[in-house]
Amino acid sequence: MNSSAIIYPSIAMFALTIGCIFSMGIARYRGIHAGDVSIKFYRTYTEGAQPERLHLLMRHVQNHFEVPPLFHIAVLFLYTTATVTTATVVIAWLYVAARYVHTAIHLGGNNVSRRFFVFGGSLIFLTALWGLLLWGLL
């Protein structure tokens, strides 16, 4: 197995994160220019309020800096310790796929039950990835 294959899921995860950040930025810009939110709100996030959609986008972007860094760290450790296997690459892709589905649900209809189970599945994939890293090191 080519060890660099583990990097591609990390790049795909980066693409999802940066796409969400740009979407939030565009939505904020449009919200300010449409008069839906005051630019003053973004100074300290305490002056006034923002529309629910902007809050949802902001919360979703924040979410990408909570658990996903653990994924990137696992990928880095797998690569640098030469413990990349077909199983680790498949599980990494499953994690990323779950995160894309999670994004679609959260920013789409936002069905909390579906989102919860998809998020839980992504945590299972992430735990499996870390477990395989440990297994490879032992």
Side-chain angles (χ1 to χ4, degrees), residues 75-90:
V75 166
L76 182 62
F77 284 168
L78 286 160
Y79 183 77
T80 59
T81 60
T83 53
V84 175
T85 64
T86 301
T88 59
V89 173
V90 168

Side-chain angles (χ1 to χ4, degrees), residues 39-100:
I39 196 166
K40 291 179 182 180
F41 174 78
Y42 295 107
R43 286 188 188 149
T44 61
Y45 295 91
T46 58
E47 297 180 40
Q50 64 182 344
E52 185 176 320
R53 180 68 182 167
L54 288 174
H55 179 76
L56 179 68
L57 283 165
M58 180 183 75
R59 186 62 200 107
H60 189 72
V61 167
Q62 286 175 333
N63 183 264
H64 281 258
F65 294 94
E66 294 168 354
V67 176
L70 297 173
F71 168 74
H72 294 294
I73 292 167
V75 166
L76 182 62
F77 284 168
L78 286 160
Y79 183 77
T80 59
T81 60
T83 53
V84 175
T85 64
T86 301
T88 59
V89 173
V90 168
I91 291 173
W93 277 116
L94 289 171
Y95 174 80
V96 171
R99 293 303 305 197
Y100 271 82

Side-chain angles (χ1 to χ4, degrees), residues 25-39 42 51 54:
I26 291 167
R28 283 180 174 179
Y29 178 83
R30 287 180 178 164
I32 290 166
H33 285 280
D36 297 332
V37 62
S38 170
I39 196 166
Y42 295 107
L54 288 174

